[in-house]
Amino acid sequence: MKLGETGVEVHTEKERVRVVASDRLKGIDVRTLPYPGFPTDMQAQMVALMCLAEGTSVVTETIFESRFMHVEELRRMGADIRVEGNRLVVTGRPSLTGAPVMASDLRASAGLIIAGLAADGVTEVQRVYHLDRGYERIEEKLRGLGAKIERQSSEAVASVC
């Protein structure tokens, strides 16, 4: 499991999942592939995670062209990401900074929210109507996990860490 390679421990029980990360995560390489490979639908979320991991990660997108629209938005937050064709080279940083960002699609929205929750300061994700197509009441669910997040309107979500 790719998440486990980062140093995260995932414990599954009958009715819950517990995720434990004691240290800064390690950068890993990810290649999207059809099932049962790494899902392209999780690529943006993994990129957000790798922005804060120690070391350099390479994320190769083999399924869809132009699935890197979230990269420029992550750069607004201080992410160090280089695009090389269908690959991203992500050099992890100790922190990201909150910034106004714009979601381009469902997956990018989720990745930007993850980055915003981990960032210092406030991140406002605009155009979150994309989120509603795939994540019902995401802000309520994240608040239930302890996140400081609120929906400003159908157009924006503010994440505060």
Side-chain angles (χ1 to χ4, degrees):
M1 170 173 49
K2 283 294 181 184
L3 194 55
E5 290 179 30
T6 69
V8 170
E9 293 179 29
V10 179
H11 305 279
T12 56
E13 298 176 17
K14 190 173 186 177
E15 294 186 19
R16 67 181 182 172
V17 175
R18 184 170 174 236
V19 179
V20 180
S22 58
D23 295 318
R24 189 168 169 205
L25 303 181
K26 297 180 291 189
I28 61 168
D29 294 345
V30 175
R31 182 178 194 86
T32 63
L33 293 167
Y35 180 83
F38 189 85
T40 187
D41 288 349
M42 292 300 297
Q43 179 255 108
Q45 296 92 319
M46 185 60 84
V47 170
L49 189 64
M50 292 301 92
C51 288
L52 294 163
E54 190 170 4
T56 300
S57 303
V58 176
V59 179
T60 305
E61 176 59 57
T62 68
I63 298 174
F64 290 108
E65 291 182 29
S66 303
R67 188 148 273 185
F68 294 149
M69 296 177 71
H70 55 288
V71 168
E72 194 56 41
E73 302 306 304
L74 289 168
R75 286 181 181 149
R76 289 178 194 257
M77 300 174 73
D80 184 352
I81 306 173
R82 206 170 61 245
V83 179
E84 297 178 350
N86 70 331
R87 297 178 344 142
L88 298 178
V89 179
V90 183
T91 303
R93 305 179 62 96
S95 64
L96 295 174
T97 303
V101 294
M102 188 170 300
S104 56
D105 62 42
L106 171 63
R107 292 138 201 97
S109 300
L112 292 172
I113 286 177
I114 289 169
L117 289 170
D120 296 328
V122 176
T123 297
E124 185 173 294
V125 182
Q126 298 186 24
R127 294 178 38 174
V128 295
Y129 55 83
H130 296 293
L131 268 176
D132 296 332
R133 295 179 319 160
Y135 298 97
E136 186 177 343
R137 299 181 345 267
I138 190 171
E139 65 276 9
E140 293 173 30
K141 293 171 184 174
L142 291 171
R143 269 196 306 272
L145 296 171
K148 294 180 181 175
I149 183 170
E150 64 182 57
R151 183 176 291 252
Q152 301 289 318
S153 70
S154 62
E155 295 297 313
V157 170
S159 308
V160 184
C161 291

